[in-house]
Amino acid sequence: MQQQIIRETFHLVSKRDDNVCNFLEGGSLIGGSDYKLIYRHYATLYFVFCVDSSESELGILDLIQVFVETLDKCFENVCELDLIFHMDKVHYILQEVVMGGMVLETNMNEIVAQVELQNRMEKSEVSSVHIHIEQPGVTPVQLT
Amino acid sequence: MSDVVEKTLTALPGLFDSQTGAAKITNRLKQLIKSITELTSKHEEENLMKQELSAMKEQVSSPNTTMKQMREVMVRAMYCEMLGYDASFTYIHAIKLAQQGSVLEKRVGYLAVSLFLSEGHELLLLLVNTVLKDLQSTNLIEACMALTVVAQVFPKDMIPAVLPLVEDKLSHPKEIIRRKAVLALYKFYLIAPNQVQHIHAKFRKALCDKDPGVMTSSLHIYLQLIRESPDGYKDLTGSFVAILKQVVGGKLPMDFNYHNVPAPWLQIQLLRILSLLGREDQSTSELMYEVLDESLRRAEMNHNITYAILYECVKAVYTIHPKAELLEKAARCIGNFVLSPKINLKYLGLKALTYVVQHDAKLALQHQMTIIECLDHSDFTIKRETLELLFRITNAQNVTVIVEKMLDFLRGCNDEHTVIHLVGKVAELAEKYPFHSLTVTNVTRMR
């Protein structure tokens, strides 16, 4: 079932020209329900987000941009191969942006900070001493 | 002192080992991927995958496999499942990995569980204890991982077991934990609303949290709650308006700026909430006019995200109790969208017109030339949206023309869902405005 969705999505998205809009509805698996596809085309890659009708289209477009820029920061000039060979890392980054289907964080610096925290943990894997990791605090803002 | 030395000495060989160990992990996956790309047919791929999967099966069932090796197998298993091959024998090991492994192994185990299993899966019950343990861990990362898994895949019946711990996290000193806890509770609300009835007071606290990130997460909950019953939350209108004012006025830390726009996604959420609160309610709407005006004014820059904010503003202005000047400004905005050469904006303009047409039919008529042009646009999505709009502005005078256009489109369209949808619309129009039988026969032919 998942594979079908992937195939159909690719079919729909790859047919699109570069000068059409980035939003898609339709297709038997997606079109029947409340969802739409929002995608961005980068060189040979398509990043497709499937969202429900209550999401802002342009907002999601920019979210994709934030995600890609974060990938770029975390992988240093990310390319396709990075995404293929380190798909688990891509998932960890995505988990900081979208959690359980809801947008958790849109601030690129915050996302990168969280990922760095996890990377530090990886580097310290060899030590058998338990490390308690503190996250740098966020400046509090007075909102009445 | 001496046992610290001993610990270091025992860790030393591990140090040398794991340098190559980490390389080994990526190497085997690399090997697998490389071999897949070298294949030339689907059949060969299936053979290779079968081999790979049976090798993995052996590895996971062997008692000699270390946690580290298991971690590596798990990543390969995720890759195989992603390609569509069943690796269900690894599921139980993923859970074990999350239970028994070190932090790194836990991370892979949790990731595998969230990718492999869906909410109703029976194996998830085995995960509950691990999640409970990790939620109480002093290690930030373990707690985060547990919260993430809880928000992604968690059996509905076990929510009561984990609820008090998640609630607890709402008052955690670390901002990221509070944020994740809020979203986890939102997920609980979506799947089991009666379980979280008693903590609405805590949601209010989250809304006033000193950290804007936590406040933003709580907006997800409020949007849903307000969608279901706006009246219960009218008293919060003042707070939402105040927050939006502060955001638009640039009072948030610079971090939240995206392309010089202060916290755009936050603004969009707030605008949606305000439009739901102000609908058909004059007094509540009056509280918002000023801030809506301000938002419309500020979002003048030419970037995608400001257009997103403008769009939400416009929708809000038309949803709440009407105010003449705001409506005028909003109408101008829509006009700019529809006439824009940027195609995404045209799409949004059309959508806005469709939404607005029930309040203000003249606006659509003003732009009818552009709308007609859009019909012949090369972009399928734009065409569909135009037809949707035309359907809304059909009246006795233009119905024949519009139905003709729809039928033309249907003739060239091969997307099943769109055809069904559109035929339904044509049939509706045929019933509403009975006209000559030629068109009606066309409709039946389409079916």
mmCIF file of all heavy atoms in Angstrom, chain A residues 3 16 21-22 25 31 54 56-57 59 62 102-105 107 118 121-122 125-126 132 143, chain B residues 18 71 82 103 107 138 179 186 210 220 246 255 258 265 272 344 347-348 351 379 381 417:
data_model
loop_
_atom_site.group_PDB
_atom_site.id
_atom_site.type_symbol
_atom_site.label_atom_id
_atom_site.label_comp_id
_atom_site.label_asym_id
_atom_site.label_seq_id
_atom_site.Cartn_x
_atom_site.Cartn_y
_atom_site.Cartn_z
ATOM 1 N N GLN A 3 3.884 1.441 -1.024
ATOM 2 C CA GLN A 3 4.604 1.514 -2.286
ATOM 3 C C GLN A 3 3.734 2.105 -3.373
ATOM 4 O O GLN A 3 4.189 2.868 -4.221
ATOM 5 C CB GLN A 3 5.071 0.113 -2.710
ATOM 6 C CG GLN A 3 6.152 -0.453 -1.813
ATOM 7 C CD GLN A 3 7.400 0.408 -1.840
ATOM 8 O OE1 GLN A 3 7.920 0.746 -2.885
ATOM 9 N NE2 GLN A 3 7.875 0.768 -0.680
ATOM 10 N N ARG A 16 4.959 17.129 -13.716
ATOM 11 C CA ARG A 16 4.751 18.560 -13.641
ATOM 12 C C ARG A 16 5.912 19.321 -14.255
ATOM 13 O O ARG A 16 7.069 19.035 -14.017
ATOM 14 C CB ARG A 16 4.611 18.992 -12.177
ATOM 15 C CG ARG A 16 3.582 18.225 -11.389
ATOM 16 C CD ARG A 16 2.216 18.730 -11.595
ATOM 17 N NE ARG A 16 2.016 20.004 -10.935
ATOM 18 C CZ ARG A 16 0.917 20.755 -11.077
ATOM 19 N NH1 ARG A 16 -0.022 20.337 -11.896
ATOM 20 N NH2 ARG A 16 0.790 21.885 -10.440
ATOM 21 N N CYS A 21 2.284 25.523 -10.670
ATOM 22 C CA CYS A 21 2.336 25.743 -9.240
ATOM 23 C C CYS A 21 2.682 24.468 -8.481
ATOM 24 O O CYS A 21 2.579 23.373 -8.997
ATOM 25 C CB CYS A 21 1.053 26.382 -8.712
ATOM 26 S SG CYS A 21 -0.429 25.471 -9.003
ATOM 27 N N ASN A 22 3.107 24.656 -7.264
ATOM 28 C CA ASN A 22 3.674 23.539 -6.515
ATOM 29 C C ASN A 22 2.660 22.752 -5.714
ATOM 30 O O ASN A 22 3.007 22.074 -4.769
ATOM 31 C CB ASN A 22 4.726 24.062 -5.524
ATOM 32 C CG ASN A 22 5.834 24.782 -6.229
ATOM 33 O OD1 ASN A 22 5.688 25.937 -6.583
ATOM 34 N ND2 ASN A 22 6.928 24.093 -6.464
ATOM 35 N N GLU A 25 -3.659 18.329 -6.225
ATOM 36 C CA GLU A 25 -4.710 17.520 -5.607
ATOM 37 C C GLU A 25 -5.117 16.518 -6.645
ATOM 38 O O GLU A 25 -4.877 16.690 -7.822
ATOM 39 C CB GLU A 25 -5.895 18.416 -5.228
ATOM 40 C CG GLU A 25 -5.536 19.397 -4.146
ATOM 41 C CD GLU A 25 -6.638 20.422 -3.963
ATOM 42 O OE1 GLU A 25 -7.750 20.024 -3.594
ATOM 43 O OE2 GLU A 25 -6.374 21.608 -4.196
ATOM 44 N N GLY A 31 -6.588 12.010 -3.824
ATOM 45 C CA GLY A 31 -7.653 12.930 -4.195
ATOM 46 C C GLY A 31 -8.964 12.651 -3.496
ATOM 47 O O GLY A 31 -9.750 13.537 -3.250
ATOM 48 N N SER A 54 -6.302 21.949 5.875
ATOM 49 C CA SER A 54 -6.227 23.107 6.755
ATOM 50 C C SER A 54 -4.853 23.744 6.780
ATOM 51 O O SER A 54 -4.668 24.802 7.352
ATOM 52 C CB SER A 54 -6.623 22.701 8.172
ATOM 53 O OG SER A 54 -5.689 21.782 8.656
ATOM 54 N N SER A 56 -1.506 25.760 5.438
ATOM 55 C CA SER A 56 -1.236 26.852 4.499
ATOM 56 C C SER A 56 -0.251 26.385 3.435
ATOM 57 O O SER A 56 0.842 25.934 3.747
ATOM 58 C CB SER A 56 -0.647 28.031 5.273
ATOM 59 O OG SER A 56 0.105 28.849 4.418
ATOM 60 N N GLU A 57 -0.626 26.513 2.164
ATOM 61 C CA GLU A 57 0.224 25.987 1.091
ATOM 62 C C GLU A 57 1.591 26.655 1.043
ATOM 63 O O GLU A 57 2.625 25.999 1.002
ATOM 64 C CB GLU A 57 -0.446 26.168 -0.275
ATOM 65 C CG GLU A 57 -1.599 25.253 -0.541
ATOM 66 C CD GLU A 57 -2.919 25.889 -0.169
ATOM 67 O OE1 GLU A 57 -2.898 26.896 0.551
ATOM 68 O OE2 GLU A 57 -3.948 25.362 -0.606
ATOM 69 N N GLY A 59 2.978 28.298 3.369
ATOM 70 C CA GLY A 59 3.685 28.024 4.617
ATOM 71 C C GLY A 59 4.439 26.714 4.534
ATOM 72 O O GLY A 59 5.589 26.617 4.960
ATOM 73 N N ASP A 62 7.548 26.919 2.362
ATOM 74 C CA ASP A 62 8.694 27.453 3.074
ATOM 75 C C ASP A 62 9.211 26.499 4.124
ATOM 76 O O ASP A 62 10.397 26.490 4.436
ATOM 77 C CB ASP A 62 8.342 28.811 3.697
ATOM 78 C CG ASP A 62 8.505 29.928 2.674
ATOM 79 O OD1 ASP A 62 9.664 30.311 2.432
ATOM 80 O OD2 ASP A 62 7.492 30.348 2.105
ATOM 81 N N MET A 102 2.697 16.911 13.261
ATOM 82 C CA MET A 102 2.521 18.340 13.549
ATOM 83 C C MET A 102 3.863 19.049 13.506
ATOM 84 O O MET A 102 4.878 18.471 13.870
ATOM 85 C CB MET A 102 1.912 18.498 14.933
ATOM 86 C CG MET A 102 0.476 18.044 14.938
ATOM 87 S SD MET A 102 -0.054 17.603 16.572
ATOM 88 C CE MET A 102 0.841 16.101 16.845
ATOM 89 N N VAL A 103 3.839 20.303 13.120
ATOM 90 C CA VAL A 103 5.082 21.050 13.014
ATOM 91 C C VAL A 103 5.583 21.373 14.414
ATOM 92 O O VAL A 103 4.886 21.998 15.216
ATOM 93 C CB VAL A 103 4.862 22.360 12.225
ATOM 94 C CG1 VAL A 103 6.143 23.145 12.156
ATOM 95 C CG2 VAL A 103 4.366 22.035 10.836
ATOM 96 N N LEU A 104 6.813 20.913 14.708
ATOM 97 C CA LEU A 104 7.357 21.115 16.036
ATOM 98 C C LEU A 104 8.235 22.355 16.081
ATOM 99 O O LEU A 104 8.153 23.154 16.993
ATOM 100 C CB LEU A 104 8.156 19.864 16.431
ATOM 101 C CG LEU A 104 8.976 19.924 17.712
ATOM 102 C CD1 LEU A 104 8.046 20.059 18.893
ATOM 103 C CD2 LEU A 104 9.790 18.659 17.858
ATOM 104 N N GLU A 105 9.094 22.506 15.086
ATOM 105 C CA GLU A 105 10.057 23.597 15.136
ATOM 106 C C GLU A 105 10.311 24.105 13.737
ATOM 107 O O GLU A 105 10.497 23.323 12.811
ATOM 108 C CB GLU A 105 11.358 23.073 15.742
ATOM 109 C CG GLU A 105 12.484 24.087 15.788
ATOM 110 C CD GLU A 105 12.165 25.247 16.700
ATOM 111 O OE1 GLU A 105 12.168 25.043 17.926
ATOM 112 O OE2 GLU A 105 11.922 26.346 16.193
ATOM 113 N N ASN A 107 12.438 26.962 13.356
ATOM 114 C CA ASN A 107 13.632 27.772 13.441
ATOM 115 C C ASN A 107 14.845 26.901 13.136
ATOM 116 O O ASN A 107 15.165 25.993 13.894
ATOM 117 C CB ASN A 107 13.722 28.341 14.859
ATOM 118 C CG ASN A 107 14.884 29.267 15.015
ATOM 119 O OD1 ASN A 107 15.832 29.221 14.255
ATOM 120 N ND2 ASN A 107 14.790 30.122 16.003
ATOM 121 N N GLN A 118 22.613 15.510 19.512
ATOM 122 C CA GLN A 118 22.598 14.069 19.282
ATOM 123 C C GLN A 118 23.916 13.608 18.668
ATOM 124 O O GLN A 118 24.406 12.525 18.975
ATOM 125 C CB GLN A 118 21.431 13.687 18.361
ATOM 126 C CG GLN A 118 20.094 13.951 19.023
ATOM 127 C CD GLN A 118 18.934 13.486 18.180
ATOM 128 O OE1 GLN A 118 19.107 12.773 17.207
ATOM 129 N NE2 GLN A 118 17.735 13.876 18.532
ATOM 130 N N MET A 121 26.482 13.142 21.274
ATOM 131 C CA MET A 121 26.244 11.900 21.974
ATOM 132 C C MET A 121 26.874 10.739 21.212
ATOM 133 O O MET A 121 27.475 9.847 21.777
ATOM 134 C CB MET A 121 24.732 11.682 22.099
ATOM 135 C CG MET A 121 24.360 10.311 22.564
ATOM 136 S SD MET A 121 22.592 10.073 22.482
ATOM 137 C CE MET A 121 22.317 9.921 20.736
ATOM 138 N N GLU A 122 26.766 10.803 19.889
ATOM 139 C CA GLU A 122 27.326 9.737 19.063
ATOM 140 C C GLU A 122 28.841 9.698 19.197
ATOM 141 O O GLU A 122 29.437 8.647 19.321
ATOM 142 C CB GLU A 122 26.931 9.981 17.613
ATOM 143 C CG GLU A 122 27.071 8.769 16.742
ATOM 144 C CD GLU A 122 26.340 8.926 15.425
ATOM 145 O OE1 GLU A 122 25.389 9.730 15.369
ATOM 146 O OE2 GLU A 122 26.746 8.254 14.483
ATOM 147 N N GLU A 125 30.207 8.031 22.244
ATOM 148 C CA GLU A 125 29.714 6.668 22.438
ATOM 149 C C GLU A 125 30.771 5.772 23.072
ATOM 150 O O GLU A 125 30.477 4.876 23.828
ATOM 151 C CB GLU A 125 29.301 6.092 21.080
ATOM 152 C CG GLU A 125 28.716 4.698 21.194
ATOM 153 C CD GLU A 125 28.736 3.942 19.886
ATOM 154 O OE1 GLU A 125 29.477 4.342 18.973
ATOM 155 O OE2 GLU A 125 28.035 2.946 19.791
ATOM 156 N N VAL A 126 32.042 6.006 22.758
ATOM 157 C CA VAL A 126 33.106 5.119 23.204
ATOM 158 C C VAL A 126 33.284 5.168 24.708
ATOM 159 O O VAL A 126 33.716 4.214 25.324
ATOM 160 C CB VAL A 126 34.439 5.470 22.534
ATOM 161 C CG1 VAL A 126 34.302 5.281 21.047
ATOM 162 C CG2 VAL A 126 34.824 6.891 22.828
ATOM 163 N N HIS A 132 25.525 13.435 31.206
ATOM 164 C CA HIS A 132 24.249 14.156 31.274
ATOM 165 C C HIS A 132 24.383 15.397 30.405
ATOM 166 O O HIS A 132 25.208 16.245 30.654
ATOM 167 C CB HIS A 132 23.975 14.534 32.733
ATOM 168 C CG HIS A 132 22.641 15.158 32.920
ATOM 169 N ND1 HIS A 132 21.673 14.608 33.709
ATOM 170 C CD2 HIS A 132 22.098 16.275 32.407
ATOM 171 C CE1 HIS A 132 20.598 15.364 33.684
ATOM 172 N NE2 HIS A 132 20.819 16.393 32.896
ATOM 173 N N LEU A 143 5.754 37.629 27.366
ATOM 174 C CA LEU A 143 4.539 37.849 26.587
ATOM 175 C C LEU A 143 3.387 37.876 27.568
ATOM 176 O O LEU A 143 3.152 36.908 28.259
ATOM 177 C CB LEU A 143 4.315 36.713 25.584
ATOM 178 C CG LEU A 143 5.285 36.650 24.418
ATOM 179 C CD1 LEU A 143 4.902 35.488 23.518
ATOM 180 C CD2 LEU A 143 5.184 37.916 23.587
ATOM 181 N N SER B 18 35.504 0.615 17.889
ATOM 182 C CA SER B 18 34.313 1.295 17.377
ATOM 183 C C SER B 18 34.642 2.334 16.318
ATOM 184 O O SER B 18 33.785 2.759 15.580
ATOM 185 C CB SER B 18 33.524 1.937 18.502
ATOM 186 O OG SER B 18 34.343 2.858 19.161
ATOM 187 N N ARG B 71 22.146 -2.872 15.719
ATOM 188 C CA ARG B 71 21.837 -1.506 15.269
ATOM 189 C C ARG B 71 22.045 -1.395 13.766
ATOM 190 O O ARG B 71 21.257 -0.813 13.027
ATOM 191 C CB ARG B 71 22.763 -0.560 16.022
ATOM 192 C CG ARG B 71 22.405 0.880 15.904
ATOM 193 C CD ARG B 71 23.295 1.709 16.761
ATOM 194 N NE ARG B 71 24.372 2.311 16.017
ATOM 195 C CZ ARG B 71 25.492 2.766 16.561
ATOM 196 N NH1 ARG B 71 25.690 2.658 17.846
ATOM 197 N NH2 ARG B 71 26.423 3.320 15.831
ATOM 198 N N MET B 82 11.746 0.315 3.292
ATOM 199 C CA MET B 82 11.464 1.516 2.515
ATOM 200 C C MET B 82 11.303 1.166 1.041
ATOM 201 O O MET B 82 10.514 1.766 0.329
ATOM 202 C CB MET B 82 12.636 2.493 2.698
ATOM 203 C CG MET B 82 12.329 3.889 2.272
ATOM 204 S SD MET B 82 13.627 5.007 2.754
ATOM 205 C CE MET B 82 14.906 4.588 1.600
ATOM 206 N N VAL B 103 22.109 4.665 24.439
ATOM 207 C CA VAL B 103 21.308 5.754 23.875
ATOM 208 C C VAL B 103 21.266 5.713 22.354
ATOM 209 O O VAL B 103 20.226 5.872 21.725
ATOM 210 C CB VAL B 103 21.847 7.120 24.340
ATOM 211 C CG1 VAL B 103 20.914 8.218 23.906
ATOM 212 C CG2 VAL B 103 21.984 7.138 25.837
ATOM 213 N N ARG B 107 18.062 5.052 19.950
ATOM 214 C CA ARG B 107 17.593 5.977 18.921
ATOM 215 C C ARG B 107 17.186 5.216 17.659
ATOM 216 O O ARG B 107 16.134 5.468 17.081
ATOM 217 C CB ARG B 107 18.709 6.980 18.616
ATOM 218 C CG ARG B 107 18.268 8.108 17.721
ATOM 219 C CD ARG B 107 19.259 9.218 17.709
ATOM 220 N NE ARG B 107 20.472 8.891 16.965
ATOM 221 C CZ ARG B 107 21.248 9.802 16.399
ATOM 222 N NH1 ARG B 107 20.907 11.064 16.467
ATOM 223 N NH2 ARG B 107 22.343 9.467 15.779
ATOM 224 N N THR B 138 16.845 10.903 33.406
ATOM 225 C CA THR B 138 17.391 12.248 33.560
ATOM 226 C C THR B 138 18.117 12.685 32.299
ATOM 227 O O THR B 138 18.457 13.839 32.134
ATOM 228 C CB THR B 138 18.398 12.308 34.719
ATOM 229 O OG1 THR B 138 19.261 11.179 34.606
ATOM 230 C CG2 THR B 138 17.680 12.286 36.042
ATOM 231 N N ARG B 179 7.870 21.534 25.018
ATOM 232 C CA ARG B 179 7.261 21.635 23.698
ATOM 233 C C ARG B 179 6.798 20.277 23.196
ATOM 234 O O ARG B 179 5.702 20.120 22.663
ATOM 235 C CB ARG B 179 8.298 22.211 22.732
ATOM 236 C CG ARG B 179 7.681 23.077 21.723
ATOM 237 C CD ARG B 179 8.521 24.100 21.056
ATOM 238 N NE ARG B 179 9.919 24.092 21.217
ATOM 239 C CZ ARG B 179 10.761 23.785 20.252
ATOM 240 N NH1 ARG B 179 10.304 23.435 19.086
ATOM 241 N NH2 ARG B 179 12.048 23.862 20.451
ATOM 242 N N TYR B 186 -1.410 16.818 22.603
ATOM 243 C CA TYR B 186 -2.319 17.129 21.509
ATOM 244 C C TYR B 186 -2.684 15.851 20.760
ATOM 245 O O TYR B 186 -3.820 15.609 20.399
ATOM 246 C CB TYR B 186 -1.664 18.142 20.575
ATOM 247 C CG TYR B 186 -2.461 18.451 19.338
ATOM 248 C CD1 TYR B 186 -3.799 18.787 19.405
ATOM 249 C CD2 TYR B 186 -1.880 18.410 18.079
ATOM 250 C CE1 TYR B 186 -4.531 19.071 18.272
ATOM 251 C CE2 TYR B 186 -2.594 18.702 16.947
ATOM 252 C CZ TYR B 186 -3.924 19.025 17.033
ATOM 253 O OH TYR B 186 -4.643 19.303 15.914
ATOM 254 N N LYS B 210 6.679 31.162 29.102
ATOM 255 C CA LYS B 210 7.601 32.247 28.779
ATOM 256 C C LYS B 210 8.374 31.950 27.499
ATOM 257 O O LYS B 210 8.957 32.839 26.900
ATOM 258 C CB LYS B 210 8.568 32.482 29.927
ATOM 259 C CG LYS B 210 9.493 31.308 30.223
ATOM 260 C CD LYS B 210 10.457 31.680 31.323
ATOM 261 C CE LYS B 210 11.573 30.690 31.456
ATOM 262 N NZ LYS B 210 11.232 29.487 32.228
ATOM 263 N N HIS B 220 -1.435 24.615 18.354
ATOM 264 C CA HIS B 220 -1.997 23.480 17.610
ATOM 265 C C HIS B 220 -3.242 22.965 18.311
ATOM 266 O O HIS B 220 -4.266 22.688 17.705
ATOM 267 C CB HIS B 220 -0.990 22.324 17.550
ATOM 268 C CG HIS B 220 0.115 22.540 16.579
ATOM 269 N ND1 HIS B 220 -0.082 22.546 15.210
ATOM 270 C CD2 HIS B 220 1.425 22.732 16.761
ATOM 271 C CE1 HIS B 220 1.072 22.744 14.615
ATOM 272 N NE2 HIS B 220 2.005 22.860 15.519
ATOM 273 N N GLN B 246 2.267 41.473 19.452
ATOM 274 C CA GLN B 246 3.674 41.460 19.814
ATOM 275 C C GLN B 246 4.524 40.847 18.715
ATOM 276 O O GLN B 246 5.620 41.319 18.422
ATOM 277 C CB GLN B 246 3.863 40.674 21.100
ATOM 278 C CG GLN B 246 3.205 41.354 22.275
ATOM 279 C CD GLN B 246 3.811 40.908 23.582
ATOM 280 O OE1 GLN B 246 4.484 39.900 23.639
ATOM 281 N NE2 GLN B 246 3.563 41.671 24.613
ATOM 282 N N ASP B 255 15.940 35.284 16.503
ATOM 283 C CA ASP B 255 15.941 33.890 16.063
ATOM 284 C C ASP B 255 14.704 33.492 15.296
ATOM 285 O O ASP B 255 14.744 32.638 14.425
ATOM 286 C CB ASP B 255 15.999 32.984 17.305
ATOM 287 C CG ASP B 255 17.381 32.407 17.441
ATOM 288 O OD1 ASP B 255 18.220 32.650 16.570
ATOM 289 O OD2 ASP B 255 17.602 31.707 18.412
ATOM 290 N N TYR B 258 12.220 34.819 9.920
ATOM 291 C CA TYR B 258 12.484 34.034 8.731
ATOM 292 C C TYR B 258 12.436 35.009 7.578
ATOM 293 O O TYR B 258 11.384 35.552 7.270
ATOM 294 C CB TYR B 258 11.421 32.942 8.582
ATOM 295 C CG TYR B 258 11.571 32.099 7.361
ATOM 296 C CD1 TYR B 258 12.560 31.136 7.272
ATOM 297 C CD2 TYR B 258 10.716 32.264 6.282
ATOM 298 C CE1 TYR B 258 12.700 30.365 6.142
ATOM 299 C CE2 TYR B 258 10.840 31.495 5.153
ATOM 300 C CZ TYR B 258 11.843 30.540 5.085
ATOM 301 O OH TYR B 258 11.972 29.768 3.965
ATOM 302 N N TRP B 265 5.030 31.337 10.604
ATOM 303 C CA TRP B 265 4.120 30.232 10.831
ATOM 304 C C TRP B 265 3.254 30.486 12.050
ATOM 305 O O TRP B 265 2.103 30.120 12.095
ATOM 306 C CB TRP B 265 4.907 28.926 10.979
ATOM 307 C CG TRP B 265 5.527 28.474 9.701
ATOM 308 C CD1 TRP B 265 4.919 27.793 8.693
ATOM 309 C CD2 TRP B 265 6.871 28.675 9.277
ATOM 310 N NE1 TRP B 265 5.811 27.563 7.667
ATOM 311 C CE2 TRP B 265 7.003 28.090 8.005
ATOM 312 C CE3 TRP B 265 7.985 29.296 9.854
ATOM 313 C CZ2 TRP B 265 8.196 28.099 7.295
ATOM 314 C CZ3 TRP B 265 9.176 29.311 9.150
ATOM 315 C CH2 TRP B 265 9.274 28.717 7.877
ATOM 316 N N ARG B 272 -5.539 32.073 11.902
ATOM 317 C CA ARG B 272 -6.591 31.066 11.756
ATOM 318 C C ARG B 272 -7.465 31.012 12.996
ATOM 319 O O ARG B 272 -8.686 30.947 12.913
ATOM 320 C CB ARG B 272 -5.970 29.684 11.551
ATOM 321 C CG ARG B 272 -5.375 29.515 10.243
ATOM 322 C CD ARG B 272 -5.632 28.135 9.704
ATOM 323 N NE ARG B 272 -4.798 28.015 8.532
ATOM 324 C CZ ARG B 272 -3.677 27.347 8.500
ATOM 325 N NH1 ARG B 272 -3.287 26.673 9.545
ATOM 326 N NH2 ARG B 272 -2.945 27.339 7.424
ATOM 327 N N ASN B 344 2.043 30.313 -8.256
ATOM 328 C CA ASN B 344 1.541 29.906 -6.944
ATOM 329 C C ASN B 344 0.564 30.932 -6.407
ATOM 330 O O ASN B 344 -0.426 30.599 -5.761
ATOM 331 C CB ASN B 344 2.690 29.746 -5.954
ATOM 332 C CG ASN B 344 3.459 28.467 -6.205
ATOM 333 O OD1 ASN B 344 2.922 27.541 -6.798
ATOM 334 N ND2 ASN B 344 4.687 28.408 -5.766
ATOM 335 N N TYR B 347 -2.820 30.714 -8.054
ATOM 336 C CA TYR B 347 -3.587 29.625 -7.456
ATOM 337 C C TYR B 347 -4.244 30.087 -6.168
ATOM 338 O O TYR B 347 -5.421 29.846 -5.921
ATOM 339 C CB TYR B 347 -2.645 28.452 -7.195
ATOM 340 C CG TYR B 347 -3.274 27.296 -6.479
ATOM 341 C CD1 TYR B 347 -4.039 26.358 -7.159
ATOM 342 C CD2 TYR B 347 -3.094 27.140 -5.117
ATOM 343 C CE1 TYR B 347 -4.611 25.298 -6.487
ATOM 344 C CE2 TYR B 347 -3.666 26.078 -4.453
ATOM 345 C CZ TYR B 347 -4.417 25.164 -5.138
ATOM 346 O OH TYR B 347 -4.987 24.123 -4.473
ATOM 347 N N LEU B 348 -3.449 30.768 -5.335
ATOM 348 C CA LEU B 348 -3.999 31.237 -4.067
ATOM 349 C C LEU B 348 -5.085 32.275 -4.295
ATOM 350 O O LEU B 348 -6.089 32.299 -3.589
ATOM 351 C CB LEU B 348 -2.902 31.840 -3.203
ATOM 352 C CG LEU B 348 -2.042 30.834 -2.450
ATOM 353 C CD1 LEU B 348 -1.123 31.569 -1.513
ATOM 354 C CD2 LEU B 348 -2.906 29.882 -1.668
ATOM 355 N N LYS B 351 -8.179 30.495 -5.177
ATOM 356 C CA LYS B 351 -8.760 29.855 -3.994
ATOM 357 C C LYS B 351 -9.451 30.887 -3.123
ATOM 358 O O LYS B 351 -10.522 30.643 -2.586
ATOM 359 C CB LYS B 351 -7.652 29.183 -3.160
ATOM 360 C CG LYS B 351 -7.472 27.723 -3.474
ATOM 361 C CD LYS B 351 -6.622 27.057 -2.450
ATOM 362 C CE LYS B 351 -7.507 26.396 -1.408
ATOM 363 N NZ LYS B 351 -6.759 25.469 -0.581
ATOM 364 N N ASP B 379 -1.503 24.737 -16.744
ATOM 365 C CA ASP B 379 -1.378 24.003 -15.485
ATOM 366 C C ASP B 379 -2.706 23.387 -15.075
ATOM 367 O O ASP B 379 -3.701 24.070 -14.904
ATOM 368 C CB ASP B 379 -0.883 24.963 -14.406
ATOM 369 C CG ASP B 379 -0.652 24.265 -13.086
ATOM 370 O OD1 ASP B 379 -0.935 23.057 -12.974
ATOM 371 O OD2 ASP B 379 -0.175 24.932 -12.171
ATOM 372 N N THR B 381 -3.627 22.079 -12.262
ATOM 373 C CA THR B 381 -4.155 22.494 -10.959
ATOM 374 C C THR B 381 -4.897 23.808 -11.052
ATOM 375 O O THR B 381 -5.954 23.992 -10.452
ATOM 376 C CB THR B 381 -3.007 22.629 -9.939
ATOM 377 O OG1 THR B 381 -2.188 21.491 -10.038
ATOM 378 C CG2 THR B 381 -3.542 22.741 -8.542
ATOM 379 N N HIS B 417 -10.405 10.708 -10.462
ATOM 380 C CA HIS B 417 -11.059 11.391 -9.336
ATOM 381 C C HIS B 417 -11.659 12.719 -9.772
ATOM 382 O O HIS B 417 -12.778 13.068 -9.403
ATOM 383 C CB HIS B 417 -10.046 11.591 -8.218
ATOM 384 C CG HIS B 417 -10.521 12.532 -7.177
ATOM 385 N ND1 HIS B 417 -11.457 12.191 -6.241
ATOM 386 C CD2 HIS B 417 -10.240 13.828 -6.948
ATOM 387 C CE1 HIS B 417 -11.707 13.216 -5.468
ATOM 388 N NE2 HIS B 417 -10.986 14.235 -5.866
#
